[in-house]
Amino acid sequence: MKAALASLMLALGSLLAAAPSSAQVGPSPAEAAKYTGLHAAAQRGDAEAIRKLAASHANLEARDGNGRTPLHVATFARQREAIRALAQAGAKLDPLENDRYDAVTIASVANDEETLALLLSLGASAKQVTSRYDGTALIAAAHLGHAGVVRQLIKAGAPLDHVNNLHWTAVIESVVLGDGGPRHQDTLKALLDAGASQQLKDRQGNTPLQLARSRGYMEMAKLLEKAGAR
């Protein structure tokens, strides 16, 4: 029975490990080729065109077929000057597209620290509930082992102990959806150093320490033990 449950959990973990990247859908080449106006300027990073279009009262919050604003498009494309121009023109920094991702979460999942830093400096929030899992950018980054992104989000005030609809926190996701290796160890350390709870349990009543031990992630278990986990 225990073996079957372990196999089920591993299968679930593998499925969910692919979820953020597959759920976040950037514009395809064919879709981008059809863009006009601000979406086209955002995709190619044309800050001057953005300023001119904004001055002529183009809709800064226009949506494409997947609910992406020009800001989402610029973030997917890593067009930082376009992001800056959109923000200066008054574009909203925190809208959600159809899959419920904001620009901060898009940059976080992409491990795009430079774009994330720009968004946060412009006033984008690290605190939003995003994605179909009712998670946060911090949870998504912890899941993927993006330790530098995690540290940026923590500094920006991301909620350390938000619980998503899978009943997982960033600490738990760094364990159950990680590989136990250096990136996820560094991610877990960043969370623990910031004061994230190591006592919150998953839906089955398992603590992060129990989850780390059950997976054989002994370095992560040591980090949790050092932080006072039980």
Side-chain angles (χ1 to χ4, degrees), residues 63 67 72 94-98 100-102 128-131:
R63 303 276 181 155
H72 292 126
D94 299 316
L96 304 180
E97 39 89 273
N98 286 358
R100 296 180 56 210
Y101 288 101
D102 61 349
Q128 290 206 107
V129 174
T130 67
S131 88

Side-chain angles (χ1 to χ4, degrees), residues 201-218:
K201 300 176 181 179
D202 69 8
R203 191 169 279 124
Q204 288 70 44
N206 299 302
T207 65
L209 179 56
Q210 289 170 325
L211 291 164
R213 286 173 175 167
S214 71
R215 285 161 172 73
Y217 297 165
M218 301 320 296

Side-chain angles (χ1 to χ4, degrees), residues 40-70:
Q43 177 70 30
R44 66 177 183 266
D46 191 338
E48 182 59 28
I50 289 170
R51 285 188 281 270
K52 289 179 178 178
L53 287 162
S56 64
H57 307 292
N59 183 5
L60 294 166
E61 312 307 326
R63 303 276 181 155
D64 69 9
N66 282 298
R68 307 184 201 96
T69 67

Side-chain angles (χ1 to χ4, degrees), residues 113-134:
E113 293 192 47
E114 191 172 349
T115 297
L116 176 62
L118 173 61
L119 287 162
L120 294 173
S121 74
L122 292 169
S125 176
K127 300 178 182 181
Q128 290 206 107
V129 174
T130 67
S131 88
R132 66 190 66 177
Y133 302 109
D134 295 331

Side-chain angles (χ1 to χ4, degrees), residues 65-200:
N66 282 298
R68 307 184 201 96
T69 67
L71 182 74
H72 292 126
V73 170
T75 303
F76 274 119
R78 303 189 180 208
Q79 298 288 9
R80 287 177 277 276
E81 288 309 307
I83 291 171
R84 191 184 302 277
L86 287 163
Q88 290 172 344
K92 295 178 182 178
L93 298 176
D94 299 316
L96 304 180
E97 39 89 273
N98 286 358
D99 287 315
R100 296 180 56 210
Y101 288 101
D102 61 349
V104 164
T105 309
I106 290 166
S108 297
V109 168
N111 203 20
D112 185 355
E113 293 192 47
E114 191 172 349
T115 297
L116 176 62
L118 173 61
L119 287 162
L120 294 173
S121 74
L122 292 169
S125 176
K127 300 178 182 181
Q128 290 206 107
V129 174
T130 67
S131 88
R132 66 190 66 177
Y133 302 109
D134 295 331
T136 61
L138 183 65
I139 290 177
H143 156 187
L144 294 165
H146 296 336
V149 167
V150 164
R151 289 188 171 90
Q152 278 200 56
L153 293 169
I154 290 170
K155 186 176 180 181
L160 294 173
D161 296 323
H162 178 84
V163 180
N164 66 17
N165 61 22
L166 299 170
H167 214 76
W168 289 345
T169 63
V171 166
I172 290 174
E173 288 221 4
S174 74
V175 177
V176 300
L177 296 183
D179 60 9
R183 293 184 305 109
H184 287 92
Q185 292 168 30
D186 193 18
T187 296
L188 177 60
K189 184 177 187 303
L191 290 165
L192 295 175
D193 287 349
S197 174
Q198 65 272 54
Q199 304 302 336
L200 290 173

